[in-house]
């Protein structure tokens, strides 16, 4: 997600990938036959397979029928999109590649490779065994609601959080928006006129479920107010 504090704990690539799989509403599927955009047609199984339910007249369904061995080579792409409107909303892309199999009722992708492409150009390989065993972040399903509420109802709190960012990093910043939140912390997008950077603010403790977010956010805001006092800045300014 861009620039991170080196000491901050961040989700593993597998946890990021599982969260994307749990929350992405659509995906693009490419085979030798063509490309399909599927909406609300995927799920990830406990044994590490991707279940797909394409329309009967789709290129994907045709690929399974036409493949010589019935298992066409397939690439499935997911986009991790920030729920809050901001510049460059795609935070990462997840690619799963492998063979597509039909069990008589449903299509399943048996992944042989998983890669997370970060918005900053970094590519992170995801271990398939770890992907199958990892669960989505406990805040993944609530992230959209949490960040939208923070951006729309509490812009003052977002401004206060910038007091935890080094003054040098705020030079030229014209807008700050909440970018992401997970069990370990919250990330902000610092937008300048022609560039941007992301900064991560870690929680004081790991969040187990959404009920603990309020306490962790209050702790961050208290820390921000104390930081403003030490810098000689008025708390409300």
């Amino acid at each position: 997600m861009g620039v991170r504090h080196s000491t901050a704990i961040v989700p593993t690539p597998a946890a990021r990938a599982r969260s994307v799989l749990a929350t992405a509403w659509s995906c693009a599927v490419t085979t030798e036959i063509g490309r399909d955009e599927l909406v609300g047609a995927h799920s990830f199984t406990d044994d590490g397979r991707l279940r797909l339910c394409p329309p009967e007249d789709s290129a994907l369904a045709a690929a399974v029928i036409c493949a010589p061995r019935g298992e066409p080579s397939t690439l499935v792409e997911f986009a991790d999109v920030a729920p809050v409107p901001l510049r460059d909303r795609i935070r990462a892309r997840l690619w799963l590649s492998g063979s597509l199999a039909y069990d008589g009722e449903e299509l399943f992708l048996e992944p042989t490779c998983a890669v997370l492409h970060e918005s900053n150009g970094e590519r992170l390989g995801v271990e398939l065994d770890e992907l199958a065993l990892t669960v989505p972040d406990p805040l993944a399903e609530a992230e959209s609601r949490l960040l939208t509420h923070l951006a729309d109802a509490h812009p003052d709190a977002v401004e206060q959080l910038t007091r935890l960012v080094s003054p040098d990093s705020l030079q030229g910043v014209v807008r700050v928006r909440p970018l992401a939140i997970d069990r370990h912390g919250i990330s902000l997008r610092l937008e300048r006129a022609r560039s941007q950077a992301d900064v991560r603010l870690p929680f004081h403790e790991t969040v187990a479920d959404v009920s603990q977010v309020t306490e962790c956010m209050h702790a961050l805001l208290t820390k921000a107010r104390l930081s403003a006092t030490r810098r000689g800045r008025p708390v409300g300014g």
Side-chain angles (χ1 to χ4, degrees):
M1 295 182 188
V3 179
R4 295 175 175 144
H5 293 320
S6 59
T7 57
I9 301 174
V10 298
T12 65
R16 288 277 312 284
R18 285 293 281 116
S19 294
V20 172
L21 288 169
T23 57
W25 184 239
S26 63
C27 62
V29 185
T30 304
T31 65
E32 296 94 332
I33 298 293
R35 179 182 173 94
D36 277 312
E37 298 283 345
L38 303 183
V39 178
H42 76 273
S43 59
F44 199 70
T45 66
D46 292 338
D47 60 356
R49 296 186 298 166
L50 183 69
R51 180 188 291 111
L52 297 169
C53 302
E56 293 182 359
D57 59 351
S58 66
L60 184 57
V64 175
I65 296 173
C66 298
R69 295 182 301 277
E71 295 184 355
S73 222
T74 305
L75 172 66
V76 186
E77 304 171 61
F78 298 87
D80 176 24
V81 183
V84 174
L86 41 73
R87 187 191 301 157
D88 297 335
R89 291 182 66 177
I90 296 186
R91 302 179 295 196
R93 294 185 185 275
L94 174 65
W95 290 8
L96 297 181
S97 59
S99 297
L100 198 64
Y102 181 60
D103 69 354
E105 296 182 357
E106 298 175 302
L107 293 177
F108 290 92
L109 179 77
E110 300 278 359
T112 57
C113 182
V115 180
L116 196 65
H117 297 257
E118 298 277 24
S119 60
N120 64 359
E122 186 178 7
R123 296 178 61 176
L124 304 174
V126 181
E127 294 291 336
L128 297 178
D129 289 343
E130 187 180 357
L131 181 65
L133 295 173
T134 300
V135 297
D137 188 273
L139 303 187
E141 296 287 352
E143 184 188 36
S144 179
R145 171 173 55 85
L146 291 170
L147 292 187
T148 300
H149 178 74
L150 180 61
D152 294 345
H154 302 285
D156 55 328
V158 176
E159 189 280 330
Q160 287 181 27
L161 289 175
T162 63
R163 296 168 186 177
L164 297 173
V165 180
S166 68
D168 289 345
S169 297
L170 296 174
Q171 291 294 323
V173 171
V174 296
R175 188 172 75 153
V176 180
R177 301 285 277 172
L179 174 67
I181 190 169
D182 56 63
R183 66 189 307 175
H184 303 297
I186 185 169
S187 296
L188 304 179
R189 168 66 54 82
L190 311 179
E191 293 185 351
R192 301 180 178 87
R194 298 186 180 182
S195 65
Q196 62 204 26
D198 303 337
V199 64
R200 186 174 179 82
L201 305 176
F203 292 144
H204 69 284
E205 63 179 6
T206 300
V207 171
D209 57 56
V210 71
S211 67
Q212 297 177 334
V213 172
T214 299
E215 177 188 350
C216 286
M217 287 299 298
H218 282 169
L220 274 181
L221 291 170
T222 298
K223 185 178 178 182
R225 285 193 290 270
L226 292 174
S227 176
T229 301
R230 287 195 298 268
R231 292 180 188 177
R233 297 170 56 181
V235 174

